[in-house]
Amino acid sequence: MNTTRRDAIAMLTEDHREVEELFKQYEALGEDDNDRKKKIADQICTALTLHATIEEEIFYPAVRDAGEDNEELVDEATVEHASAKDLIAQLQEMDPEDELYDAKVKVLSEQIAHHVQEEEKEMFPKAKKNKLDLAALAEEMALREDEVAATM
């Protein structure tokens, strides 16, 4: 997942596209393709966990500190992360044969799509406008992502 990326926003946007692609792959699977469902759902959960960690620990605090009018946006995003983490935890305890498994993946996909849209249309433009050091943030985020990935 980790390549040298231009800036924090480019890095997070790339993560968004990767997860969107995984959700598309999941949706394209047949109803009985449980092995591949589990594999892709696990990839989605891992990618989202890594992404949420670097956002919450590094990107969100920087955005919050950059401007008072960013606080509500960061608070909302943090609550959305908590909701996604709850679904991720449920999925990680389940198997694709379980009732509601597909429904939970679908709801997670919808929540993430909403969250991504808010970040890309509202938070990222504010981060740029607030002149955050996006290159330095990307470097810090990439290091943290590697640390977290090594423990997973």
PDB file of all heavy atoms in Angstrom, residues 110-134:
ATOM      1  N   GLU A 110     -21.586   1.946   2.034  1.00  0.00           N
ATOM      2  CA  GLU A 110     -22.369   3.184   1.934  1.00  0.00           C
ATOM      3  C   GLU A 110     -21.859   4.249   2.904  1.00  0.00           C
ATOM      4  O   GLU A 110     -21.760   5.429   2.554  1.00  0.00           O
ATOM      5  CB  GLU A 110     -23.850   2.887   2.177  1.00  0.00           C
ATOM      6  CG  GLU A 110     -24.473   2.082   1.046  1.00  0.00           C
ATOM      7  CD  GLU A 110     -25.848   1.513   1.386  1.00  0.00           C
ATOM      8  OE1 GLU A 110     -26.292   1.624   2.556  1.00  0.00           O
ATOM      9  OE2 GLU A 110     -26.481   0.945   0.476  1.00  0.00           O
ATOM     10  N   GLN A 111     -21.550   3.826   4.130  1.00  0.00           N
ATOM     11  CA  GLN A 111     -21.020   4.782   5.115  1.00  0.00           C
ATOM     12  C   GLN A 111     -19.689   5.358   4.650  1.00  0.00           C
ATOM     13  O   GLN A 111     -19.450   6.558   4.768  1.00  0.00           O
ATOM     14  CB  GLN A 111     -20.815   4.095   6.480  1.00  0.00           C
ATOM     15  CG  GLN A 111     -22.069   3.829   7.247  1.00  0.00           C
ATOM     16  CD  GLN A 111     -21.788   3.200   8.601  1.00  0.00           C
ATOM     17  OE1 GLN A 111     -20.662   2.803   8.911  1.00  0.00           O
ATOM     18  NE2 GLN A 111     -22.819   3.097   9.413  1.00  0.00           N
ATOM     19  N   ILE A 112     -18.830   4.499   4.133  1.00  0.00           N
ATOM     20  CA  ILE A 112     -17.514   4.949   3.682  1.00  0.00           C
ATOM     21  C   ILE A 112     -17.660   5.882   2.484  1.00  0.00           C
ATOM     22  O   ILE A 112     -16.977   6.910   2.403  1.00  0.00           O
ATOM     23  CB  ILE A 112     -16.592   3.750   3.362  1.00  0.00           C
ATOM     24  CG1 ILE A 112     -16.316   2.925   4.626  1.00  0.00           C
ATOM     25  CG2 ILE A 112     -15.294   4.208   2.703  1.00  0.00           C
ATOM     26  CD1 ILE A 112     -15.702   3.671   5.800  1.00  0.00           C
ATOM     27  N   ALA A 113     -18.567   5.576   1.565  1.00  0.00           N
ATOM     28  CA  ALA A 113     -18.782   6.442   0.400  1.00  0.00           C
ATOM     29  C   ALA A 113     -19.205   7.847   0.850  1.00  0.00           C
ATOM     30  O   ALA A 113     -18.701   8.855   0.341  1.00  0.00           O
ATOM     31  CB  ALA A 113     -19.830   5.836  -0.530  1.00  0.00           C
ATOM     32  N   HIS A 114     -20.095   7.916   1.814  1.00  0.00           N
ATOM     33  CA  HIS A 114     -20.548   9.209   2.362  1.00  0.00           C
ATOM     34  C   HIS A 114     -19.379   9.946   3.021  1.00  0.00           C
ATOM     35  O   HIS A 114     -19.150  11.134   2.793  1.00  0.00           O
ATOM     36  CB  HIS A 114     -21.683   8.971   3.370  1.00  0.00           C
ATOM     37  CG  HIS A 114     -22.014  10.168   4.189  1.00  0.00           C
ATOM     38  ND1 HIS A 114     -22.823  11.191   3.736  1.00  0.00           N
ATOM     39  CD2 HIS A 114     -21.622  10.528   5.438  1.00  0.00           C
ATOM     40  CE1 HIS A 114     -22.916  12.116   4.669  1.00  0.00           C
ATOM     41  NE2 HIS A 114     -22.203  11.744   5.712  1.00  0.00           N
ATOM     42  N   HIS A 115     -18.630   9.223   3.829  1.00  0.00           N
ATOM     43  CA  HIS A 115     -17.490   9.785   4.563  1.00  0.00           C
ATOM     44  C   HIS A 115     -16.430  10.325   3.592  1.00  0.00           C
ATOM     45  O   HIS A 115     -15.933  11.440   3.763  1.00  0.00           O
ATOM     46  CB  HIS A 115     -16.899   8.691   5.466  1.00  0.00           C
ATOM     47  CG  HIS A 115     -15.699   9.110   6.233  1.00  0.00           C
ATOM     48  ND1 HIS A 115     -15.759   9.968   7.313  1.00  0.00           N
ATOM     49  CD2 HIS A 115     -14.399   8.786   6.094  1.00  0.00           C
ATOM     50  CE1 HIS A 115     -14.532  10.140   7.794  1.00  0.00           C
ATOM     51  NE2 HIS A 115     -13.693   9.431   7.073  1.00  0.00           N
ATOM     52  N   VAL A 116     -16.121   9.538   2.572  1.00  0.00           N
ATOM     53  CA  VAL A 116     -15.125   9.930   1.568  1.00  0.00           C
ATOM     54  C   VAL A 116     -15.563  11.207   0.860  1.00  0.00           C
ATOM     55  O   VAL A 116     -14.773  12.131   0.666  1.00  0.00           O
ATOM     56  CB  VAL A 116     -14.892   8.778   0.557  1.00  0.00           C
ATOM     57  CG1 VAL A 116     -14.220   9.268  -0.714  1.00  0.00           C
ATOM     58  CG2 VAL A 116     -14.077   7.665   1.208  1.00  0.00           C
ATOM     59  N   GLN A 117     -16.835  11.269   0.512  1.00  0.00           N
ATOM     60  CA  GLN A 117     -17.342  12.453  -0.185  1.00  0.00           C
ATOM     61  C   GLN A 117     -17.185  13.700   0.695  1.00  0.00           C
ATOM     62  O   GLN A 117     -16.743  14.746   0.214  1.00  0.00           O
ATOM     63  CB  GLN A 117     -18.804  12.251  -0.587  1.00  0.00           C
ATOM     64  CG  GLN A 117     -19.294  13.362  -1.477  1.00  0.00           C
ATOM     65  CD  GLN A 117     -20.636  13.040  -2.121  1.00  0.00           C
ATOM     66  OE1 GLN A 117     -21.358  12.154  -1.679  1.00  0.00           O
ATOM     67  NE2 GLN A 117     -20.958  13.767  -3.160  1.00  0.00           N
ATOM     68  N   GLU A 118     -17.512  13.601   1.966  1.00  0.00           N
ATOM     69  CA  GLU A 118     -17.357  14.753   2.865  1.00  0.00           C
ATOM     70  C   GLU A 118     -15.895  15.168   2.993  1.00  0.00           C
ATOM     71  O   GLU A 118     -15.582  16.350   2.967  1.00  0.00           O
ATOM     72  CB  GLU A 118     -17.931  14.436   4.253  1.00  0.00           C
ATOM     73  CG  GLU A 118     -19.435  14.518   4.296  1.00  0.00           C
ATOM     74  CD  GLU A 118     -19.989  14.415   5.710  1.00  0.00           C
ATOM     75  OE1 GLU A 118     -19.261  14.025   6.642  1.00  0.00           O
ATOM     76  OE2 GLU A 118     -21.176  14.735   5.865  1.00  0.00           O
ATOM     77  N   GLU A 119     -15.026  14.172   3.144  1.00  0.00           N
ATOM     78  CA  GLU A 119     -13.601  14.503   3.260  1.00  0.00           C
ATOM     79  C   GLU A 119     -13.097  15.196   2.004  1.00  0.00           C
ATOM     80  O   GLU A 119     -12.430  16.227   2.081  1.00  0.00           O
ATOM     81  CB  GLU A 119     -12.762  13.238   3.510  1.00  0.00           C
ATOM     82  CG  GLU A 119     -12.792  12.787   4.929  1.00  0.00           C
ATOM     83  CD  GLU A 119     -11.811  11.656   5.212  1.00  0.00           C
ATOM     84  OE1 GLU A 119     -11.254  11.050   4.274  1.00  0.00           O
ATOM     85  OE2 GLU A 119     -11.613  11.389   6.397  1.00  0.00           O
ATOM     86  N   GLU A 120     -13.407  14.617   0.852  1.00  0.00           N
ATOM     87  CA  GLU A 120     -12.849  15.132  -0.390  1.00  0.00           C
ATOM     88  C   GLU A 120     -13.474  16.464  -0.819  1.00  0.00           C
ATOM     89  O   GLU A 120     -12.808  17.278  -1.439  1.00  0.00           O
ATOM     90  CB  GLU A 120     -12.978  14.080  -1.502  1.00  0.00           C
ATOM     91  CG  GLU A 120     -12.065  12.882  -1.232  1.00  0.00           C
ATOM     92  CD  GLU A 120     -12.095  11.817  -2.310  1.00  0.00           C
ATOM     93  OE1 GLU A 120     -12.778  11.996  -3.341  1.00  0.00           O
ATOM     94  OE2 GLU A 120     -11.427  10.782  -2.120  1.00  0.00           O
ATOM     95  N   LYS A 121     -14.729  16.699  -0.468  1.00  0.00           N
ATOM     96  CA  LYS A 121     -15.402  17.936  -0.884  1.00  0.00           C
ATOM     97  C   LYS A 121     -15.303  19.058   0.156  1.00  0.00           C
ATOM     98  O   LYS A 121     -15.411  20.230  -0.184  1.00  0.00           O
ATOM     99  CB  LYS A 121     -16.887  17.659  -1.172  1.00  0.00           C
ATOM    100  CG  LYS A 121     -17.119  16.631  -2.258  1.00  0.00           C
ATOM    101  CD  LYS A 121     -17.770  17.246  -3.478  1.00  0.00           C
ATOM    102  CE  LYS A 121     -18.109  16.289  -4.576  1.00  0.00           C
ATOM    103  NZ  LYS A 121     -17.073  15.481  -5.124  1.00  0.00           N
ATOM    104  N   GLU A 122     -15.112  18.686   1.429  1.00  0.00           N
ATOM    105  CA  GLU A 122     -15.104  19.699   2.487  1.00  0.00           C
ATOM    106  C   GLU A 122     -13.765  19.782   3.235  1.00  0.00           C
ATOM    107  O   GLU A 122     -13.156  20.840   3.308  1.00  0.00           O
ATOM    108  CB  GLU A 122     -16.243  19.431   3.479  1.00  0.00           C
ATOM    109  CG  GLU A 122     -17.630  19.524   2.861  1.00  0.00           C
ATOM    110  CD  GLU A 122     -18.724  19.130   3.834  1.00  0.00           C
ATOM    111  OE1 GLU A 122     -18.690  19.594   4.987  1.00  0.00           O
ATOM    112  OE2 GLU A 122     -19.615  18.343   3.439  1.00  0.00           O
ATOM    113  N   MET A 123     -13.344  18.653   3.806  1.00  0.00           N
ATOM    114  CA  MET A 123     -12.153  18.689   4.659  1.00  0.00           C
ATOM    115  C   MET A 123     -10.874  18.940   3.865  1.00  0.00           C
ATOM    116  O   MET A 123     -10.044  19.763   4.266  1.00  0.00           O
ATOM    117  CB  MET A 123     -12.027  17.396   5.465  1.00  0.00           C
ATOM    118  CG  MET A 123     -10.908  17.474   6.497  1.00  0.00           C
ATOM    119  SD  MET A 123     -10.696  15.962   7.452  1.00  0.00           S
ATOM    120  CE  MET A 123     -12.214  15.917   8.398  1.00  0.00           C
ATOM    121  N   PHE A 124     -10.679  18.228   2.752  1.00  0.00           N
ATOM    122  CA  PHE A 124      -9.439  18.390   1.997  1.00  0.00           C
ATOM    123  C   PHE A 124      -9.275  19.815   1.469  1.00  0.00           C
ATOM    124  O   PHE A 124      -8.184  20.391   1.592  1.00  0.00           O
ATOM    125  CB  PHE A 124      -9.331  17.355   0.876  1.00  0.00           C
ATOM    126  CG  PHE A 124      -9.172  15.924   1.359  1.00  0.00           C
ATOM    127  CD1 PHE A 124      -9.161  14.877   0.455  1.00  0.00           C
ATOM    128  CD2 PHE A 124      -9.042  15.612   2.707  1.00  0.00           C
ATOM    129  CE1 PHE A 124      -9.015  13.560   0.884  1.00  0.00           C
ATOM    130  CE2 PHE A 124      -8.901  14.297   3.146  1.00  0.00           C
ATOM    131  CZ  PHE A 124      -8.887  13.270   2.217  1.00  0.00           C
ATOM    132  N   PRO A 125     -10.328  20.426   0.902  1.00  0.00           N
ATOM    133  CA  PRO A 125     -10.175  21.824   0.475  1.00  0.00           C
ATOM    134  C   PRO A 125      -9.818  22.768   1.641  1.00  0.00           C
ATOM    135  O   PRO A 125      -9.009  23.680   1.468  1.00  0.00           O
ATOM    136  CB  PRO A 125     -11.543  22.174  -0.115  1.00  0.00           C
ATOM    137  CG  PRO A 125     -12.097  20.864  -0.570  1.00  0.00           C
ATOM    138  CD  PRO A 125     -11.620  19.858   0.451  1.00  0.00           C
ATOM    139  N   LYS A 126     -10.399  22.509   2.819  1.00  0.00           N
ATOM    140  CA  LYS A 126     -10.052  23.341   3.979  1.00  0.00           C
ATOM    141  C   LYS A 126      -8.592  23.145   4.373  1.00  0.00           C
ATOM    142  O   LYS A 126      -7.913  24.100   4.729  1.00  0.00           O
ATOM    143  CB  LYS A 126     -10.969  23.027   5.169  1.00  0.00           C
ATOM    144  CG  LYS A 126     -12.311  23.692   5.058  1.00  0.00           C
ATOM    145  CD  LYS A 126     -13.103  23.556   6.340  1.00  0.00           C
ATOM    146  CE  LYS A 126     -14.396  24.337   6.190  1.00  0.00           C
ATOM    147  NZ  LYS A 126     -15.098  24.490   7.446  1.00  0.00           N
ATOM    148  N   ALA A 127      -8.125  21.907   4.318  1.00  0.00           N
ATOM    149  CA  ALA A 127      -6.728  21.628   4.656  1.00  0.00           C
ATOM    150  C   ALA A 127      -5.790  22.377   3.709  1.00  0.00           C
ATOM    151  O   ALA A 127      -4.783  22.940   4.134  1.00  0.00           O
ATOM    152  CB  ALA A 127      -6.455  20.124   4.601  1.00  0.00           C
ATOM    153  N   LYS A 128      -6.150  22.399   2.431  1.00  0.00           N
ATOM    154  CA  LYS A 128      -5.338  23.136   1.454  1.00  0.00           C
ATOM    155  C   LYS A 128      -5.395  24.639   1.728  1.00  0.00           C
ATOM    156  O   LYS A 128      -4.377  25.321   1.703  1.00  0.00           O
ATOM    157  CB  LYS A 128      -5.825  22.847   0.028  1.00  0.00           C
ATOM    158  CG  LYS A 128      -5.450  21.479  -0.482  1.00  0.00           C
ATOM    159  CD  LYS A 128      -5.990  21.238  -1.878  1.00  0.00           C
ATOM    160  CE  LYS A 128      -5.620  19.838  -2.350  1.00  0.00           C
ATOM    161  NZ  LYS A 128      -6.298  19.480  -3.599  1.00  0.00           N
ATOM    162  N   LYS A 129      -6.610  25.134   1.979  1.00  0.00           N
ATOM    163  CA  LYS A 129      -6.803  26.562   2.237  1.00  0.00           C
ATOM    164  C   LYS A 129      -6.043  27.007   3.499  1.00  0.00           C
ATOM    165  O   LYS A 129      -5.502  28.101   3.552  1.00  0.00           O
ATOM    166  CB  LYS A 129      -8.305  26.857   2.398  1.00  0.00           C
ATOM    167  CG  LYS A 129      -8.655  28.343   2.331  1.00  0.00           C
ATOM    168  CD  LYS A 129     -10.131  28.568   2.556  1.00  0.00           C
ATOM    169  CE  LYS A 129     -10.308  28.828   4.032  1.00  0.00           C
ATOM    170  NZ  LYS A 129     -11.646  28.858   4.540  1.00  0.00           N
ATOM    171  N   ASN A 130      -5.993  26.114   4.495  1.00  0.00           N
ATOM    172  CA  ASN A 130      -5.292  26.427   5.745  1.00  0.00           C
ATOM    173  C   ASN A 130      -3.779  26.271   5.621  1.00  0.00           C
ATOM    174  O   ASN A 130      -3.055  26.450   6.600  1.00  0.00           O
ATOM    175  CB  ASN A 130      -5.803  25.549   6.891  1.00  0.00           C
ATOM    176  CG  ASN A 130      -7.256  25.841   7.270  1.00  0.00           C
ATOM    177  OD1 ASN A 130      -8.022  24.929   7.534  1.00  0.00           O
ATOM    178  ND2 ASN A 130      -7.640  27.097   7.284  1.00  0.00           N
ATOM    179  N   LYS A 131      -3.327  25.919   4.428  1.00  0.00           N
ATOM    180  CA  LYS A 131      -1.899  25.809   4.133  1.00  0.00           C
ATOM    181  C   LYS A 131      -1.150  24.860   5.073  1.00  0.00           C
ATOM    182  O   LYS A 131      -0.076  25.173   5.574  1.00  0.00           O
ATOM    183  CB  LYS A 131      -1.248  27.196   4.108  1.00  0.00           C
ATOM    184  CG  LYS A 131      -1.856  28.104   3.045  1.00  0.00           C
ATOM    185  CD  LYS A 131      -0.991  29.312   2.780  1.00  0.00           C
ATOM    186  CE  LYS A 131      -1.527  30.306   1.796  1.00  0.00           C
ATOM    187  NZ  LYS A 131      -2.520  29.954   0.844  1.00  0.00           N
ATOM    188  N   LEU A 132      -1.728  23.682   5.294  1.00  0.00           N
ATOM    189  CA  LEU A 132      -1.042  22.657   6.075  1.00  0.00           C
ATOM    190  C   LEU A 132       0.180  22.179   5.294  1.00  0.00           C
ATOM    191  O   LEU A 132       0.168  22.198   4.065  1.00  0.00           O
ATOM    192  CB  LEU A 132      -1.966  21.466   6.321  1.00  0.00           C
ATOM    193  CG  LEU A 132      -3.125  21.685   7.283  1.00  0.00           C
ATOM    194  CD1 LEU A 132      -4.025  20.456   7.315  1.00  0.00           C
ATOM    195  CD2 LEU A 132      -2.610  21.983   8.673  1.00  0.00           C
ATOM    196  N   ASP A 133       1.199  21.728   5.997  1.00  0.00           N
ATOM    197  CA  ASP A 133       2.378  21.165   5.336  1.00  0.00           C
ATOM    198  C   ASP A 133       2.037  19.717   4.951  1.00  0.00           C
ATOM    199  O   ASP A 133       2.297  18.777   5.697  1.00  0.00           O
ATOM    200  CB  ASP A 133       3.601  21.220   6.255  1.00  0.00           C
ATOM    201  CG  ASP A 133       4.871  20.769   5.562  1.00  0.00           C
ATOM    202  OD1 ASP A 133       4.789  20.127   4.482  1.00  0.00           O
ATOM    203  OD2 ASP A 133       5.951  21.050   6.092  1.00  0.00           O
ATOM    204  N   LEU A 134       1.425  19.576   3.787  1.00  0.00           N
ATOM    205  CA  LEU A 134       0.897  18.280   3.371  1.00  0.00           C
ATOM    206  C   LEU A 134       1.984  17.259   3.064  1.00  0.00           C
ATOM    207  O   LEU A 134       1.781  16.063   3.246  1.00  0.00           O
ATOM    208  CB  LEU A 134      -0.042  18.466   2.175  1.00  0.00           C
ATOM    209  CG  LEU A 134      -1.280  19.326   2.470  1.00  0.00           C
ATOM    210  CD1 LEU A 134      -2.047  19.620   1.187  1.00  0.00           C
ATOM    211  CD2 LEU A 134      -2.180  18.667   3.500  1.00  0.00           C
TER     212      LEU A 134
END
